[in-house]
Structures are given as structure tokens and as C-alpha cells.
Amino acid sequence: MPTRRWRGCRRTAALLAESAYHYGTFFDLFGVGEEYKPFPILDGSDPGGFVRFTAKMLKRSELGEAHADAARELAEELVRGQVSFMFQPGDYLIVNQRRFLHGREALHSGPETVPVADRRLLLQLFLRARAGAGSAV
């Protein structure tokens, strides 16, 4: 799958790099460090940068107009470049969140309308390379 570079303006990128964003509440975390809040959407600390974004943060965060506009511009670009997969029962997808963005669309009018046996099962796993072992790809 070819990669695309976002061509957003420098001002937008600068706003997205500020620690002004937050999303959700985390609980029962063990061995993964403290909650990162607020955080930048674009974090250049990793080689090639790191993106932490969910469009839900636009509705659930108290953002100033400039930061919200910057996040909306990025969201529009992400939707423009998206690729969709239709999964069947038993299918799975493993995504390296350091290399690819991912998302999911709503199930019907909400998960409560989908029979329990037909709902998606989403699992998250944190993997890290040992110090000095090179990058985990």
C-alpha cells in the first residue's frame, strides 16, 4: 500500500504539534506508564513522527477554535486517503499503530442493536522491543 504525505500548512502542523489535545479516560493500566494528557496529535519524538488522533476528540475535548480547526483539517485529509476492508466472521487484522493509522465505522445504529454474537471483538496489545534490539516493526 503506498504511503502518502500530508500537505497541510505549517501553521496547521504547528498547532497539531502542541500539547493541547486529550481524549478519553484510562483506567486499570499496568506497566504502560502514566496517562499522556494533554498530548500533541503530531509528535516528532519518534523517527518519522507519531500521530495520535481520533475524530471523537473533536466532540469530547474542549479545544480552542484554532486547535479544533487544525484537527478537522487533518481528519478531512485522513478520510480522503482511507482504504476500507470488509471483514467476515473469523477475519482479523493486526496493525502496527506506529506505522499506520486505523479506524472503524459504526455498526448499524449502535452496538446495542447488534446481537452479541455478531459484535466485533477488538483487542489491544502493547509490544516493545528490548533496549538496544533495534526497532520493533
Side-chain angles (χ1 to χ4, degrees):
M1 178 174 359
T3 59
R4 296 173 23 150
R5 291 262 183 219
W6 177 51
R7 303 280 187 226
C9 74
R10 288 185 187 178
R11 175 172 158 60
T12 298
L15 287 165
L16 294 172
E18 292 179 5
S19 292
Y21 301 90
H22 65 278
Y23 172 71
T25 302
F26 299 90
F27 54 91
D28 296 336
L29 298 177
F30 179 76
V32 295
E34 295 295 317
E35 183 178 347
Y36 190 24
K37 182 179 177 180
F39 56 84
I41 289 177
L42 302 180
D43 183 352
S45 64
D46 290 337
F50 181 74
V51 177
R52 180 178 180 176
F53 179 75
T54 174
K56 292 176 187 176
M57 75 174 62
L58 293 169
K59 294 178 184 172
R60 297 182 183 175
S61 296
E62 294 178 15
L63 296 172
E65 185 177 344
H67 287 98
D69 287 346
R72 276 191 283 278
E73 183 180 331
L74 177 61
E76 289 170 7
E77 179 64 20
L78 295 174
V79 170
R80 198 173 10 262
Q82 78 182 2
V83 176
S84 297
F85 299 94
M86 292 298 295
F87 291 96
Q88 300 300 315
D91 289 349
Y92 62 92
L93 175 68
I94 298 173
V95 177
N96 179 339
Q97 295 187 140
R98 296 278 181 174
R99 298 191 62 167
F100 300 96
L101 299 171
H102 67 88
R104 54 194 163 272
E105 294 180 6
L107 293 173
H108 304 282
S109 59
E112 65 280 352
T113 65
V114 178
V116 173
D118 294 336
R119 294 181 188 172
R120 341 178 229 241
L121 173 63
L122 301 173
L123 302 174
Q124 187 170 14
L125 174 68
F126 295 94
L127 297 175
R128 290 189 177 90
R130 293 179 190 220
S135 72
V137 179

